[in-house]
Amino acid sequence: MNTEVKQGLQRKYRVQITVAIYREGSLSYKSEILSPAHYDKRQEARDHIRQEIRERLAHSKFFRSTRLDYDLVRYTEEGSCNTFLRYSIQDSET
């Protein structure tokens, strides 16, 4: 990653959420959503992710994922169609 900041450009951070649905163990749907909010510091984006995860764990049927590549999972009653979420930080220069 190039850490050089070009003159007149400022580094901003955004949260990307990846939603993946697995049916009977196979990936059947995947979408990436980029949050419209911009953060000046990477730590602010991390704090947003932590808050989002806390709220989902407290107020939804999501659980911590045992898969290393996803943060949260929601299981169906049958267990044949599960929804996984992954949060990541994307940086850009504006």
Side-chain angles (χ1 to χ4, degrees), residues 36-79:
H38 291 269
Y39 301 95
D40 293 326
K41 298 178 183 174
R42 184 177 288 273
Q43 184 61 43
E44 292 172 346
R46 280 191 200 109
D47 291 342
H48 174 91
I49 291 171
R50 284 190 195 105
Q51 180 64 28
E52 176 80 18
I53 290 174
R54 271 195 301 270
E55 288 179 12
R56 284 196 189 270
L57 289 172
H59 303 291
S60 73
K61 294 184 180 186
F62 277 93
F63 301 93
R64 291 267 182 202
S65 176
T66 57
R67 291 182 58 152
L68 295 177
D69 52 343
Y70 291 99
D71 299 306
L72 299 173
V73 62
R74 182 178 67 206
Y75 300 109
T76 59
E77 291 180 18
E78 303 84 23

